[in-house]
């Protein structure tokens, strides 16, 4: 009995030793020389492998950053400035801080604002739907509400609100990786700067239709009247093809356009509920709702 | 104005659905079921009802309370597993045996893998093999219970023909003697045979079911034909080499659940290959393993094990046995 | 022996309700809305302006690229506007809107009923005439015909195959013209044979049209080079690649064109249009459209001018049926669902099909039970279940390419047959487009 045990242990021990020696030499022979900094950079990266940086994943990002002469053209949207600063430090370089961005859904064609005129059947995907026809509402530019953006989001930051039928971005979870921007077949989602105190003003519509057509299809569409562009003191608003666009690099968050917009297509988020002038009261109506939503989200986190 | 439906093409759909396919398999099983009820009476009914009911209940409970997914017990697939399991048990199995088997079949073999279509192994067979290993005595007790319709044949044989042969050979008897002593004529086994699981009393009833499945295009004939053909060829060769030790083709095909297994178990959609080529390889594999287990293994039967072993190769077969593509490839950049 | 293709296929109920309805000439309405995107490829550019007077058969749009075509007015009257209007999917397309005044045809069009049998033109002249007549493939894709009849120099056509299989359920437009105008179709075929310089042609017809086969066979007695081939009833018998396999046994290579195996396929409707263009100088501005569906009270076959709104056709067959839930332009397997019923008919419109919710509703999607029925049904020998799995996994374009997703002909057999009602084709279609895009952008080795 005891000899069996001893024999077993001896056999296995010798075998183990033999293999470890073999493995050692094999490892020596087939060793791949790799820049050790790649591992360091990779360990700094968030490891989401989202592809938001334009690389195939975090490992590829690390490899390319180390290879590249300058870190300047690289940016990890998930880790943001702190991560980039750390990587720069690890590589002995300097990096400029970039302004934080957030995904903004530029359509408010909710179920209430935009009537459905037909019923879509088939695989529930915006891509399938948009390749087939303009969508189940009268607006061919608006959100289809099938949630391709929700599917691709790796950070649980964008969700279709079943009551409203359009996606909503959780600005605290959003890393501005841009996956939803690419996924949206109607190009409704845009990466905009987070703004001062996370306050943002944007045109929540992409309709290039004539005013009358837009009005018929949607209650809160941009009709291209141009009033906002006239009232903007900073020249941040341009109107092209019956559609206004606010350049966030020029916008100073004065909110004059919000008051002016006849269809309430311009949205201001994260501003205090109380507005300075009583004259603007009618236009504040949709705002408390958004602010409430955004603030509850903040409390949750 | 009324809202139109807009959808991508095609705009029509065949009448077939998962439910109708499963229902067709249950219908195909009904001749065997009726024959077994005729011979085994209440015990057959009891097994089928307990099996089907338990399977459905287990699936319902798991989907509702464990997975919180949509409950899909309406598609008959769980009920089918229960019926198949019942048909694979000895006729006088106690009710709790099939209860345990059903829980294992649905709970472990099916739902663990993600439910319908996701399972790697045939649930009913996993249930059966689990019982065979856990309760060997009960699972090989083939004595016949009292029937409402027949009497006088009780306790005629207490083991399957295959088990009798195996025991006889082990005891040193020669094969022709054993066969003569037990009167295993092919004719008897084709129509009615005693000493077997609930579902394989009559080979004819099973073949009737097979024809129904073929006519309804539920299954394709390749798997059953490949299995039976392989068993036929292999046993013929062995039998010719040494008739004293190896049983012949007719005997092997008509006993030990070959027909039940090849028609109803091996053709289970989720656990069988998709392409004709894959199906033939799969069928041949089952045949070879069955014969090897029967001749050289320690179990008298081998169909269940053979199917389970080949189930494991299905993903591989699906990967390497591609259907014939239309048109050959051209490399012109 | 009846011929058929070897791989896959399904057998939907053919529902040829209008097979015995004689082609009726649809009255000219007071306004025509003629789309400039009548064909595959670049839309035509309108060459008329508001206020212009046009006659029937006058050119109103000229091609803007190699794969493009002329568009002719189907009515006479005054152009009231040239503007983007929604097509049947709702997307804006430039339309020429014409207020109808009388029915004045261009004088070069021969409107006599005589059949002209001599073909006094050369190959180039024929192709030029076909091009100027704006003829497109009437089998569904509306591919400009002159491009197909002008194969690359290094490839030689051996056969012409006329597609009279009409495998789509419900549709009977080709069936009717084969019954009523077989000789013109065959002269059209002879013209195209001359253009292609081939001396053998086949006409493939599915067995469910015995009268069409009989009438075509009778007419073909005068054309020793044209053979009528009876095909088995199996969808998609009329798919270009399937038809070539059925008739000649040749298989078009993956990513290849019919000309790679020496074949040019044209629809019988196209052949008739070619006859009219070459022998009668009549450009393509009208076609046979089947108006059908179990819920339609009066199922008809109409000879319809292009630019007629669908809603007006509906009025002619007894109005909107109460239980119609889906309008389809084309057949039920590959036709397009109409989102905008004010859209007008195109050259390629072969049918207007109305279906009830019960007939057409998609059932709830279940788990894939791996039954392999989609693989069995796929006429291209693909594995739709696997493609579906890879598509849903996301970003598996390399694997999809290896599984030859680009070979998919979008016939709909997989979705038709799937017992779990998985929207296989919906998913495969968009991913196929994506894979082809990636393959096109890839630098060539």
């Amino acid at each position: 009995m005891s000899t069996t045990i001893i024999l077993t242990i001896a056999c296995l021990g010798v075998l183990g030793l033999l293999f470890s020696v073999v493995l050692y030499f094999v490892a020596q022979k087939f060793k791949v020389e790799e820049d050790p900094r790649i591992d360091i950079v990779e360990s700094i990266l968030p490891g989401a492998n989202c592809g938001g940086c334009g690389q195939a994943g975090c490992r590829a990002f690390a490899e390319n950053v180390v290879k590249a002469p300058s870190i300047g053209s690289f940016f990890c949207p998930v880790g943001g400035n702190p991560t980039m600063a750390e990587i720069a430090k690890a590589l002995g370089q300097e990096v400029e801080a970039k302004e934080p961005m957030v995904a903004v859904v530029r359509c408010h064609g909710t179920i209430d604002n935009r009537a459905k005129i037909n019923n879509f059947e088939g695989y529930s995907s915006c891509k399938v739907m948009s390749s087939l026809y303009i969508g189940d509402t009268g607006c061919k530019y608006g959100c289809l509400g099938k949630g391709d953006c929700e599917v691709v989001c790796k950070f649980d930051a964008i969700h279709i609100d079943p009551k409203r039928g359009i996606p909503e971005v959780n600005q605290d979870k959003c890393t501005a990786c841009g996956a939803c921007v690419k996924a949206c077949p109607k190009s409704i989602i845009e990466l905009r700067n987070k703004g001062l105190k996370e306050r943002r003003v944007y045109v929540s519509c992409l309709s290039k239709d004539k005013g009358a057509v837009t009005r018929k299809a949607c209650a809160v569409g941009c009709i291209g009247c141009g009033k906002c562009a006239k009232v903007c003191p900073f020249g941040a608003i341009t109107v092209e093809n019956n559609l206004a666009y606010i350049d966030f690099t020029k916008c100073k968050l004065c909110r004059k356009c919000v008051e002016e917009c006849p269809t309430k297509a311009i949205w201001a988020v994260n501003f205090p509920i109380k507005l300075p002038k009583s004259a603007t009261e009618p236009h504040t109506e949709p705002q408390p709702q958004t602010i409430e939503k955004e603030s509850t989200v903040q409390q949750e986190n | 104005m009324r809202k139109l439906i807009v959808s991508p093409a095609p705009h029509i759909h065949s009448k077939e659905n998962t439910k109708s396919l499963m229902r067709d398999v249950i219908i195909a099983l009904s001749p065997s079921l009726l024959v077994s009820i005729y011979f085994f009476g209440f015990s057959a009914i009891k097994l089928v009802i307990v099996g089907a009911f338990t399977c459905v209940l287990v699936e319902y409970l798991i989907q509702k309370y464990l997975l919180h997914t949509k409950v899909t017990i309406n598609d008959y697939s769980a009920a089918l597993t229960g019926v198949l399991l019942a048909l694979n048990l000895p006729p006088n199995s106690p009710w709790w045996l099939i209860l345990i088997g059903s829980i294992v079949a649905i709970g472990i073999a099916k739902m663990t893998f993600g439910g319908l279509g996701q399972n790697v192994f045939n649930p009913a067979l996993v249930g059966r093999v689990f019982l065979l290993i856990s309760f060997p005595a009960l699972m090989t007790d083939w004595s016949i219970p009292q029937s409402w319709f027949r009497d006088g044949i009780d306790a005629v044989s207490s083991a399957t023909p295959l088990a009798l042969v195996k025991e006889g050979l082990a005891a040193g008897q020669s094969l022709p003697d054993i066969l003569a002593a037990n009167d295993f004529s092919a004719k008897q086994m084709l129509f009615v045979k005693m000493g077997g699981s609930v579902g394989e009393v009559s080979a004819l009833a099973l073949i009737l079911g097979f024809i129904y499945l073929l006519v309804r295009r539920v299954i394709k004939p390749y798997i059953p034909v490949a299995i039976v053909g392989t068993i036929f060829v292999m046993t013929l060769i062995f039998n010719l080499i040494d008739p004293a030790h190896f049983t012949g083709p007719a005997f092997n095909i008509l006993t030990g659940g070959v027909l039940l297994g090849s028609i109803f178990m091996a053709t289970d959609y989720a656990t069988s290959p998709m392409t004709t080529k894959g199906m033939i390889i799969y069928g041949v594999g089952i045949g070879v393993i069955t014969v090897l287990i029967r001749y050289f293994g320690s179990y008298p039967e081998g169909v269940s094990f053979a199917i389970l072993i080949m189930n494991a190769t299905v993903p591989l077969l699906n990967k390497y046995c591609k259907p014939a593509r239309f048109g050959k490839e051209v490399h012109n950049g | 022996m009846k011929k058929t293709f070897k791989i896959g296929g399904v057998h939907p109920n053919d529902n040829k309700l209008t097979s015995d309805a004689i082609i009726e000439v649809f009255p000219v309405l007071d306004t025509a809305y003629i789309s400039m995107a009548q064909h595959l490829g670049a839309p035509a550019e309108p060459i008329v302006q508001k206020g212009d007077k046009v006659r029937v058969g006058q050119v109103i749009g000229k091609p803007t690229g190699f794969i493009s075509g002329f568009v002719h007015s189907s009515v006479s009257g005054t152009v009231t506007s040239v503007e983007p209007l929604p097509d049947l999917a709702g997307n804006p397309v430039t339309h020429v809107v014409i207020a109808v005044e009388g029915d004045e045809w261009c004088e070069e069009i021969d409107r006599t009923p005589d059949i002209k049998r001599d073909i006094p033109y050369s190959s180039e002249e024929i192709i030029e005439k076909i091009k100027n007549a704006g003829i497109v493939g009437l089998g569904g894709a509306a591919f400009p015909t002159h491009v197909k009849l002008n194969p690359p120099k290094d490839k030689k056509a051996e056969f012409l195959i006329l597609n009279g299989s009409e495998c789509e359920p419900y549709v009977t437009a080709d069936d009717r013209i084969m019954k009523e105008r077989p000789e013109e179709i065959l002269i059209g075929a002879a013209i195209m044979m001359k253009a292609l310089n081939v001396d053998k042609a086949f006409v493939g017809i599915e067995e469910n049209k015995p009268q069409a086969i009989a009438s075509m066979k009778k007419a073909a007695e005068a054309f020793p080079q044209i053979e009528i081939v009876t095909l088995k009833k199996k969808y998609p018998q009329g798919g270009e690649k399937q038809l070539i396999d059925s008739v000649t046994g040749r298989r078009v290579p993956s990513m290849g064109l019919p000309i790679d195996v020496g074949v040019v396929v044209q629809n019988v409707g196209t052949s008739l249009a070619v006859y009219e263009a070459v022998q009668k100088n009549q450009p393509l501005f009208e076609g046979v459209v089947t108006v059908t569906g179990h819920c339609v009270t009066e199922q008809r076959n109409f000879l319809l001018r292009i630019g007629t709104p669908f809603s007006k056709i509906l009025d002619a067959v007894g109005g909107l049926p109460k239980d119609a839930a889906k309008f389809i332009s084309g057949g039920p397997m590959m036709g397009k669902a109409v989102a905008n019923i004010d859209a007008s008919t195109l050259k390629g419109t072969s049918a207007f099909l109305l279906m009830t919710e019960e007939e057409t509703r998609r059932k709830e999607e279940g788990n894939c039970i791996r039954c392999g029925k989609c693989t069995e049904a796929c006429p291209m020998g693909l594995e739709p279940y696997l493609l579906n799995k890879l598509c849903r996994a996301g970003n598996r374009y390399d694997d999809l390419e290896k599984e030859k997703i680009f070979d998919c002909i979008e016939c709909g057999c997989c979705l038709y047959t799937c017992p779990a009602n998985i929207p296989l084709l919906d998913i495969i279609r968009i991913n196929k487009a994506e894979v082809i895009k990636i393959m096109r952008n890839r630098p060539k080795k």
Side-chain angles (χ1 to χ4, degrees):
Chain A
M1 180 70 187
S2 59
T3 48
T4 319
I5 294 171
I6 291 164
L7 210 69
T8 313
I9 293 171
C11 273
L12 287 175
V14 169
L15 272 176
L17 237 119
L18 208 73
F19 284 132
S20 59
V21 171
V22 170
L23 277 175
Y24 173 77
F25 282 109
V26 170
Q28 285 292 310
K29 175 120 177 122
F30 293 102
K31 199 172 162 189
V32 180
E33 284 300 334
E34 215 175 35
D35 197 327
R37 291 181 302 170
I38 293 174
D39 284 330
I40 296 168
V41 173
E42 199 189 357
S43 68
I44 298 167
L45 288 167
N49 284 315
C50 63
C53 51
Q55 310 284 344
C58 291
R59 179 83 193 170
F61 181 87
E63 280 168 12
N64 289 329
V65 162
V66 171
K67 248 187 266 163
S70 155
I71 187 174
S73 59
F74 293 88
F75 188 75
C76 170
V78 179
N81 289 323
T83 301
M84 289 316 292
E86 215 174 315
I87 293 171
K89 210 173 126 195
L91 298 176
Q93 295 182 18
E94 293 276 315
V95 69
E96 270 179 47
K98 280 191 183 164
E99 214 170 338
M101 309 285 272
V102 70
V104 171
V105 180
R106 291 180 294 166
C107 175
H108 267 87
T110 59
I111 292 166
D112 300 334
N113 287 337
R114 206 165 43 140
K116 279 208 184 335
I117 57 171
N118 59 54
N119 292 321
F120 174 73
E121 242 181 38
Y123 183 53
S124 185
S125 147
C126 309
K127 221 170 164 184
V128 170
M129 206 165 157
S130 76
S131 70
L132 181 69
Y133 71 129
I134 61 159
D136 53 7
T137 68
C139 176
K140 60 179 166 286
Y141 302 96
C143 177
L144 298 167
K146 298 288 175 197
D148 281 11
C149 47
E150 188 175 335
V151 173
V152 296
C153 184
K154 292 202 173 163
F155 306 98
D156 193 35
I158 189 162
H159 292 282
I160 298 285
D161 181 346
K163 281 191 198 121
R164 300 178 356 124
I166 56 166
E168 240 158 55
V169 179
N170 179 335
Q171 61 170 15
D172 298 318
K173 286 186 180 171
C174 178
T175 59
C177 70
C180 52
V181 177
K182 275 183 222 150
C184 181
K186 302 268 185 188
S187 306
I188 287 165
I189 306 171
E190 187 194 19
L191 293 181
R192 293 178 74 93
N193 67 341
K194 263 199 165 160
L196 193 69
K197 292 186 190 161
E198 301 188 332
R199 290 171 184 177
R200 294 182 288 278
V201 178
Y202 61 96
V203 180
S204 187
C205 183
L206 281 176
S207 173
K208 294 189 180 93
D209 275 333
K210 283 182 187 140
V213 180
T214 307
R215 256 185 205 278
K216 199 181 157 196
C218 180
V220 292
C222 172
I223 52 170
C225 62
K227 281 185 181 169
C228 48
K230 274 181 212 137
V231 83
C232 181
F234 310 103
I237 305 180
T238 47
V239 180
E240 236 174 72
N241 298 325
N242 304 311
L243 176 65
Y245 177 77
I246 301 177
D247 186 344
F248 55 81
T249 55
K250 292 183 188 156
C251 175
K252 301 274 188 276
L253 305 173
C254 70
R255 283 178 290 154
K256 283 201 173 121
C257 51
V258 180
E259 292 156 27
E260 198 64 35
C261 183
T263 55
K264 294 170 200 159
I266 301 180
W267 286 71
V269 293
N270 292 341
F271 286 91
I273 295 167
K274 207 179 147 198
L275 280 166
K277 282 182 203 163
S278 59
T280 61
E281 257 169 16
H283 301 293
T284 62
E285 187 225 329
Q287 285 177 5
Q289 202 189 349
T290 19
I291 288 161
E292 225 173 74
K293 265 194 187 100
E294 307 249 10
S295 58
T296 46
V297 166
Q298 280 167 348
Q299 276 160 16
E300 273 166 23
N301 293 300
Chain B
M1 165 90 203
R2 153 174 42 143
K3 285 181 201 163
L4 296 175
I5 301 174
V6 180
S7 80
H11 307 286
I12 48 172
H13 200 278
S14 72
K15 299 252 179 326
E16 258 174 5
N17 53 41
T18 307
K19 197 170 167 176
S20 77
L21 291 173
M22 297 294 166
R23 196 170 48 214
D24 274 343
V25 179
I26 294 179
I27 291 170
L29 279 169
S30 58
S32 309
L33 210 61
L34 290 176
V35 173
S36 60
I37 289 170
Y38 179 68
F39 282 102
F40 306 127
F42 178 68
S43 51
I45 300 175
K46 175 188 74 186
L47 286 178
V48 169
I49 289 177
V50 173
F53 182 74
T54 317
C55 284
V56 171
L57 185 72
V58 172
E59 182 155 316
Y60 174 79
L61 292 175
I62 289 177
Q63 286 181 330
K64 180 104 183 173
Y65 297 105
L66 216 60
L67 300 176
H68 303 290
T69 52
K70 214 175 98 257
V71 177
T72 57
I73 52 169
N74 284 334
D75 62 15
Y76 289 105
S77 66
L80 177 61
T81 303
V83 174
L84 277 175
L85 182 60
L87 294 182
N88 268 290
L89 293 184
N92 66 341
S93 312
W95 63 269
W96 53 265
L97 194 69
I98 189 159
L99 188 86
I100 295 171
S102 301
I103 293 170
V104 171
I106 296 293
I108 294 176
K110 188 176 173 193
M111 300 315 290
T112 317
F113 290 92
L116 182 63
Q118 309 286 315
N119 47 310
V120 181
F121 299 103
N122 187 323
L125 276 181
V126 171
R128 177 175 194 265
V129 167
F130 177 83
L131 295 177
L132 188 65
I133 295 167
S134 312
F135 308 97
L138 279 173
M139 288 295 288
T140 48
D141 175 14
W142 304 99
S143 58
I144 298 148
Q146 201 70 40
S147 163
W148 297 330
F149 309 104
R150 282 175 66 106
D151 48 15
I153 48 150
D154 312 26
V156 169
S157 58
S158 59
T160 62
L162 277 172
L164 284 171
V165 168
K166 196 125 203 164
E167 281 162 22
L169 285 173
Q173 291 172 283
S174 84
L175 188 59
D177 293 345
I178 306 166
L179 293 179
N182 288 290
D183 184 26
F184 297 137
S185 71
K187 192 181 154 207
Q188 187 212 344
M189 286 187 288
L190 190 61
F191 294 107
V192 176
K193 66 168 182 287
M194 294 298 118
S197 63
V198 175
E200 49 169 339
V201 180
S202 165
L204 210 64
L206 289 169
I207 291 167
L208 209 66
F210 179 50
I211 292 166
Y212 177 78
L213 290 181
L214 288 184
V215 169
R216 297 280 295 166
R217 291 173 180 268
V218 176
I219 60 167
K220 281 186 262 180
Y222 308 117
I223 295 174
V225 169
I227 296 174
V228 173
T230 310
I231 293 179
F232 181 87
V233 171
M234 271 190 82
T235 51
L236 187 70
I237 293 167
F238 276 103
N239 187 247
L240 286 177
I241 293 168
D242 187 356
H245 281 95
F246 298 117
T247 45
F251 178 81
N252 268 298
I253 289 166
L254 295 172
T255 56
V258 168
L259 289 178
L260 181 64
S262 62
I263 297 168
F264 291 101
M265 314 295 269
T267 54
D268 172 45
Y269 283 145
T271 58
S272 64
M274 301 266 199
T275 58
T276 310
K277 202 164 123 199
M279 284 177 182
I280 292 169
I281 297 173
Y282 171 81
V284 169
I286 291 173
V288 170
I289 296 170
T290 305
V291 174
L292 292 181
I293 293 176
R294 283 188 178 181
Y295 282 163
F296 307 108
S298 56
Y299 276 95
E301 297 173 16
V303 180
S304 309
F305 290 104
I307 295 176
L308 284 180
I309 290 168
M310 288 310 286
N311 279 170
T313 67
V314 167
L316 210 64
L317 289 174
N318 277 341
K319 186 161 178 178
Y320 290 107
C321 298
K322 293 285 177 194
R325 306 277 200 224
F326 185 99
K328 58 179 186 299
E329 208 165 341
V330 280
H331 296 281
N332 51 3
Chain C
M1 211 198 84
K2 284 165 199 152
K3 292 184 171 178
T4 189
F5 58 99
K6 314 300 178 299
I7 305 172
V10 293
H11 300 88
N13 190 350
D14 61 0
N15 279 315
K16 302 278 190 190
L17 309 169
T18 46
S19 176
D20 293 324
I22 290 169
I23 301 170
E24 299 165 56
V25 178
F26 195 84
V28 179
L29 300 171
D30 49 4
T31 319
Y33 305 83
I34 301 170
S35 165
M36 289 293 117
Q38 298 275 356
H39 40 258
L40 205 75
E45 189 189 319
I47 55 166
V48 287
Q49 285 166 351
K50 186 177 172 180
D52 286 1
K53 293 271 178 201
V54 293
R55 283 179 296 174
V56 177
Q58 186 181 329
V59 177
I60 54 171
K62 69 173 194 332
T64 51
F66 179 60
I67 298 180
S68 186
F70 284 102
V71 178
H72 302 77
S73 174
S74 61
V75 293
S76 62
T78 313
V79 177
T80 51
S81 70
V82 177
E83 57 176 338
L85 290 173
D87 66 356
L88 59 85
N91 292 311
V93 171
T94 308
H95 282 67
V96 172
V97 185
I98 302 166
V100 177
E101 293 148 15
D103 195 25
E104 191 192 336
W105 289 45
C106 289
E107 51 280 331
E108 67 266 24
I109 300 173
D110 177 2
R111 297 184 70 186
T112 57
D114 321 332
I115 293 175
K116 267 186 162 173
R117 293 183 180 81
D118 309 329
I119 309 162
Y121 309 104
S122 71
S123 175
E124 287 74 27
E125 280 168 344
I126 292 169
I127 290 171
E128 195 57 31
K129 277 195 138 193
I130 289 172
K131 186 180 174 186
N132 290 337
I135 295 179
V136 299
L138 301 178
F143 191 82
T145 300
H146 67 270
V147 182
K148 246 186 178 179
L149 290 177
N150 210 352
K153 290 280 174 300
D154 54 329
K155 284 167 184 163
K156 171 80 185 84
E158 290 171 60
F159 307 119
L160 169 74
I161 299 180
L162 280 199
N163 185 356
S165 60
E166 201 158 58
C167 57
E168 277 271 10
Y170 293 95
V171 186
T172 58
D174 292 350
D175 183 13
R176 281 317 307 179
I177 60 166
M178 285 191 288
K179 278 177 194 165
E180 295 181 26
R181 307 179 69 181
E183 196 173 358
E184 284 108 309
I185 292 172
L186 293 176
I187 296 170
I191 294 168
M192 286 191 282
M193 282 163 74
K194 197 165 178 193
L196 286 165
N197 192 20
V198 300
D199 47 19
K200 183 80 199 161
F202 300 92
V203 186
I205 309 173
E206 263 190 1
E207 61 190 325
N208 61 351
K209 291 178 269 295
Q211 291 171 318
I213 294 170
S215 92
M216 288 292 280
K217 274 201 169 146
K218 191 155 169 271
E221 282 165 9
F223 298 88
Q225 294 173 320
I226 302 175
E227 189 184 322
I228 311 294
V229 183
T230 308
L231 304 170
K232 261 177 117 168
K233 178 188 166 287
K234 181 157 93 169
Y235 180 88
Q237 191 67 264
E240 202 167 52
K241 293 180 175 182
Q242 279 64 37
L243 186 70
I244 295 169
D245 184 15
S246 298
V247 174
T248 65
R250 299 182 184 188
R251 292 211 176 149
V252 179
S254 180
M255 294 295 273
L257 291 170
I259 194 70
D260 292 333
V261 291
V263 179
V264 172
V265 179
Q266 294 289 358
N267 188 270
V268 288
T270 316
S271 185
L272 185 60
V274 164
Y275 165 79
E276 285 183 337
V278 175
Q279 305 289 69
K280 303 268 191 176
N281 294 322
Q282 181 183 330
L284 182 59
F285 57 77
E286 59 182 10
V288 179
V289 175
T290 303
V291 182
T292 184
H294 283 288
C295 54
V296 180
T297 39
E298 298 168 52
Q299 292 135 359
R300 307 266 195 86
N301 290 304
F302 287 122
L303 182 68
L304 206 69
R305 307 262 175 106
I306 60 168
T308 312
F310 287 124
S311 49
K312 293 279 165 14
I313 304 172
L314 260 185
D315 296 341
V317 293
L320 180 74
K322 273 203 192 82
D323 44 356
K326 194 191 257 179
F327 297 177
I328 299 155
S329 165
M333 291 301 283
M334 287 187 82
K336 287 194 181 101
V338 177
N340 165 29
I341 66 161
D342 293 323
S344 53
T345 56
L346 305 175
K347 289 175 184 173
T349 307
S350 60
F352 186 44
L353 170 63
L354 276 71
M355 298 191 98
T356 62
E357 187 164 334
E358 200 186 323
E359 285 171 313
T360 185
R361 173 127 267 177
R362 294 248 186 126
K363 313 267 179 345
E364 200 180 345
E365 185 186 347
N367 271 10
C368 171
I369 55 171
R370 292 194 269 170
C371 59
K373 282 185 188 287
C374 51
T375 308
E376 199 187 330
C378 180
M380 296 307 290
L382 306 176
E383 293 162 285
Y385 80 95
L386 182 64
L387 298 176
N388 171 48
K389 213 163 80 179
L390 290 170
C391 293
R392 291 197 190 200
N395 282 324
R396 298 283 293 272
Y397 298 124
D398 289 354
D399 293 323
L400 286 171
E401 193 184 331
K402 267 185 216 130
E403 296 298 337
K404 300 198 165 194
I405 193 170
F406 49 77
D407 269 350
C408 173
I409 57 167
E410 304 183 17
C411 63
C413 289
C414 51
L415 211 163
Y416 171 81
T417 194
C418 180
N421 304 311
I422 298 168
L424 294 161
L425 182 57
D426 298 4
I427 299 167
I428 292 171
R429 194 184 279 123
I430 52 166
N431 282 274
K432 173 192 157 189
E434 201 73 32
V435 168
I436 288 178
K437 207 167 88 192
I438 291 171
M439 289 169 73
R440 289 233 170 98
N441 290 341
R442 192 175 297 154
K444 281 188 181 154
K445 280 165 207 158

